[in-house]
Amino acid sequence: MSALYTESVASLRRKLAAKEITAVDVADQLLARIEQADGKLNAYNFKPDAAKVRAAAQAADLSKPLGGVPIAIKDVINVQGDPCTCSSKILQGYTAPYDATVIKKLREAGAVLVGRTNMDEFAMGSSTENSSWGVTRNPWDTDRIPGGSSGGSAAVVGGHEAFAALGSDTGGSIRQPAALCGCVGLKPTYGRVSRYGLVAFASSLDQIGPFTKTVEDAALLMEVISGHDPKDNTSVNRPVPKYTDALKQDLRGMKLGVPKEYFISGIDPEVEAATKAAIEHFAKQGAEIVDISLPHTEYACAVYYIIAPAEASANLARFEGVRYGNRVKNPKDILDLYRSTREQGFGPEVKRRIILGTYVLSSGYYDAYYNRAQKVRQLIKRDFEQAFTKCDAILTPTSPTAAFKVGEKTSDPLQMYLADIFTIAVNLAGVCGISIPCGFTKSKLPIGLQIIGAQWGEENVLRAAHGYEQTTEWHKEVPQI
Amino acid sequence: MASPDIDVRYVADLARLNLSDAEAATFQKQLSDILGYVAQLEKVDVSSVAAFSGPVVNNLRPDVLGESLPVEVALSNAPQQENNLIVVPKMIE
Amino acid sequence: MAEYEAVIGLEVHVQLKTNTKMFCSCKNEFGGAPNSHVCPVCLGMPGVLPTPNEEAIIKTILTGEMLECQIAPRCKFDRKNYFYPDMPKNYQISQYDEPLCANGAVTLNLLAFPKDVQNDPKVAFDKKIRLERIHLEEDVAKSFHYETASGIDFNRAGTPLMEIVSKADIATPEEAFAYLTALKQILIYGGVSDADMEKGQMRCDVNVSIRPKGQKEYGTKVEIKNLNSISAVRKSLHYEILRQTADVEAGVPIIQQTRRWDDGRGETFMMRTKEKAHDYRYFPDPDLLPLNTEEGLHQTAKSRLPELPAAKKSRLVAAYAVTEYQASVLASEVALANYFEKAAATAKNKSAVANFLLNDYFATGGDIENIPVNPEFFSELSNLVEEGKINTKQAKEVFPKMVAENKAPSVLVKELGLSQITDTAALEALCDQAIAANPRSVADFKAGKTNAVNALKGQVMKLSKGQANPQVVGDILLKKLSA
């Protein structure tokens, strides 16, 4: 029998309901697993406090949708009374005075919060190497990165140090690390999940979403965390479907689009082969494959690296050591307080993006960069709208390559940025997407398949992902750590 | 847009960020590369396109009083405080 | 020597009267213990998001309606980026290229001008000062400055603030004074703000330049700050226009700068020159979706449009038969006009009520906000006079007691034993007495000096201890003397 910590959330729920196990058993096994594995992965910035977790498990209301289920949280979401460092030195010493809306919802659903996961500083990066807590390692090969920015959340789920985790996705920060760590990661439609309490990177792109071991678990978590929040002006007032119902239908009759623009140079042959095999598998299962075009795909990365840094440059202005966080010692004056606190508190990638974002908004450059980028973004959004008149969901690779080596791309930011070329357009268009395991490279690194849905198309995405998962075995593999 | 002419030091100053000489030199090169890359957007015809914007939705808050934080919680994260005020080096107008 | 003219534009910030702040539900209140009206949102904590206050948007649109502006069909917020410790996020949520209200005007009126120029025939009292725009933004925190440090109280941070920008239509310090007075009057009329400059509810930045009369190009603009009252605005402009004129005359070029008004010394001082323009890096706030104003918001604002001062004045003249001047004064303050309408409700002579209120009441040193008198007493008092129950002189005796004790005039008349003698038989006896005692006056009258009747009337009043109805007495005397 496999260890308890490898179970899915749905399976835990069944066993808890049947009283085969207790919530405290679950907590204990998970705590032991974290002790065993996290020294190698460095995926938690704050490991769960054993006593607190056991007490919470003991008190958990098992009748709730996530009753007794431990869930890890990316260190970018505020949990009242806990630190929230965003893997940045500038937030050392900060204690959150409030709960994010998703945390409230998890608590109401009976979940047990376990630990805070590592990430690229302020969610800026694709490898979790930009962290003040040190790099997180890929559970399938500890010489390699787990992806980013939610690398910690992907590694704890892929490495079975958590049953599920929350992450955030601005340009692929859930889907890309999920692909690289061999788990499921879903980026909801913009406005589906409240951002209140998520430390903002790029406000018009950020969404919180789940990392899980199965598609069913993703659906379960989405039912809990979705919904309108009066505290988030951009969250949309629209009923939350019962996502698990979408899993009851198989793939027959689904129309799945394959965009030619996603199969071009730069893609690793093993990734391309695995993706094409997955597409064939869908066809065999009764889905109809249609050729589609997303003509402005090639511009997505350029648009993203104007809009995201621009928004970030303003979002990160609040970190200067006046009201909270790390303040430089003995500043000469107020300007020095700002400049030195920010110099010492931010890592190089964050500084780079702040400068880039400040530049593209500055006087004389706004129209050439920011305004033009927002226009091209509109074209990208239209591409998706047109594509979804022809299909129910779109199939693409999640990442052009499998996990790369630690340090391999750190000296060339532009190369690192291109690691997100398949995921970025989804955020720019505000649509949803999931990454699920679809194979391994010869050296046993996971490969992810991205399934993109229209705005509010989560049910189609989950149905397609579930249909594939239930007829394949990839998700059952467990890494040796 | 074609010739990236970013003055890293000037922009860093706008962003209230000190840079070491080495950092400034590295960023100058890296950011010029990135700006060179994003310059490809010039190729796109956007003459008849409106800029992306969120949907027009009247998500408004009724003017009803809610809870504030107790002063001690509000100030608990402050690096320096006195008499319930958050303290900074003297501000100049 | 060339003659110079001033070109003046005003930027007025107005605190909106709402229960809560602009983007969070903390209390919007002046005062309060430091940092007691704050929450994660208005402290700019990591992860928080703004939620717009519906009431603040409605009040801004209402202001636009009152000032004849065009209301934008879509309301959008932008981020204005600059670092300052009183601004929690280091950007201010404001409106850049799409203000809620555009154009519009403030029409000046005689009473809005300083008293000392209200008789100046050269002043155009009904000039229209055009507006550029009105937009909505969030206020910053309040800072206290000590020797080496500053302390910040975030209670004010995030409270709704409206910025009203005039065109450079203002030509004199007196027009600036009248503009602010008239604007304040309208803001109070709409219940939008209390607009008290001394409490910082209305704050004013002045831009002023001079140019030789007839020249088209503007001179170099100077900004004046720290103006804490409407009269300080006037005084600072007088000072600044003289200073700039003297400099230009002496060949000293004006440099673009910001100056600070020192009210105690009555002078402006240079704070800083504008060596380089700020680069605020405005962009649309991605945390706030654009709003549609055309349906609910604009309709609600319109439904709250009050009767404005000019319309009120006309109606008071028509409906209450008060004089133009009385109507202007009454309409200058909505509280005063409202009180008057209650006070005059059942009066037979409404102009008399206006007199009691505007002359007698204000002569007591009282103000309209705290007037202690039941307004119905004004009608009662004037009706007592009108019905001949008491005379005007007696009314003046009753009035201070009515104000001091908030007692009904009819009760006071009894208490003071003031009821007027209108009994003709009693008065005829008194008249006979006076005629008998003053043969001289009678002779004068008979000789054609009709004024002599007044001397006799005085005697009758004296004999009646002031309680005789003077009109009846006059009639009796005339009848008797002419017999």
Side-chain angles (χ1 to χ4, degrees), chain B residues 58 61 63 66 69 84 86 88, chain C residues 20-21 25 35 38 52 152 292:
Chain B
N58 287 23
R61 181 174 53 81
D63 188 23
L69 291 174
N84 288 341
I86 287 177
V88 294
Chain C
T20 67
K21 294 190 180 183
S25 57
N35 290 308
V38 296
I152 313 162
N292 180 335

Side-chain angles (χ1 to χ4, degrees), chain C residues 429-450:
Chain C
L430 292 174
C431 288
D432 289 339
Q433 221 180 312
I435 288 170
N438 296 286
R440 184 73 187 268
S441 298
V442 176
D444 285 351
F445 182 84
K446 300 229 160 161
K449 292 185 181 167
T450 46

Side-chain angles (χ1 to χ4, degrees), chain A residues 95 233 235 301 322-324 327 335 339-340 342-343 351-352 355 359 365 368 372 374-375 377-378, chain B residues 1 5 11 13 15-16 18 23 30 35 37 40-41 44 49-50 52 59 77-80 86-87 89:
Chain A
T95 303
N233 191 252
S235 87
C301 212
V322 170
R323 286 145 294 123
Y324 46 76
R327 183 189 287 191
L335 271 180
R339 291 192 180 120
S340 301
R342 288 161 67 81
E343 177 189 21
K351 290 181 189 169
R352 203 153 32 229
I355 295 172
Y359 175 74
Y365 298 99
R372 175 168 281 263
Q374 288 288 33
K375 288 180 175 175
R377 180 179 183 180
Q378 186 66 28
Chain B
M1 193 158 163
D5 53 350
V11 180
D13 184 55
R16 297 292 181 261
N18 275 349
E23 245 176 346
Q30 290 171 334
L35 290 169
Y37 172 77
Q40 61 173 298
L41 294 185
V44 189
V49 189
F52 174 93
N59 273 346
N77 277 298
Q80 202 187 341
I86 287 177
V87 175

Side-chain angles (χ1 to χ4, degrees), chain C residues 1 11 77 83 105 116 191 199 202 204 209 244 257 287 305 334 338-339 363 365 371 401 429 459 466 480:
Chain C
M1 194 180 97
E11 280 172 27
F77 291 100
F83 281 77
D116 54 280
K199 285 189 185 150
M202 182 158 120
C204 179
S209 62
Q244 289 185 24
Q257 58 187 295
D287 285 332
L305 253 179
V334 70
N338 288 345
Y339 189 90
I371 182 162
K401 288 198 179 292
Q459 287 301 313
K480 287 188 186 282

Side-chain angles (χ1 to χ4, degrees), chain B residues 10 13-16 53-71 73-75 77 83-93, chain C residues 18-22 24-27 34-35 38 40 51-55 57 83-85 143 146-154 260 272 281 289-292:
Chain B
Y10 169 75
D13 184 55
L14 276 179
R16 297 292 181 261
S53 148
V56 176
V57 180
N58 287 23
N59 273 346
L60 288 159
R61 181 174 53 81
D63 188 23
V64 178
L65 208 58
E67 268 184 46
S68 294
L69 291 174
V71 182
V73 178
L75 299 180
N77 277 298
N83 300 326
N84 288 341
L85 298 172
I86 287 177
V87 175
V88 294
K90 188 160 182 164
M91 292 150 61
I92 13 125
E93 267 179 293
Chain C
T18 55
N19 297 321
T20 67
K21 294 190 180 183
M22 186 60 227
C24 67
S25 57
C26 283
K27 198 170 193 181
N35 290 308
V38 296
T51 50
N53 184 342
E54 181 172 35
E55 182 65 17
I57 294 167
F83 281 77
Y84 208 62
S143 350
Y146 308 107
E147 201 150 324
T148 58
S150 296
I152 313 162
D153 170 10
F154 288 93
R260 184 187 175 83
R272 55 172 180 263
R281 291 161 279 134
L289 297 176
L291 298 160
N292 180 335

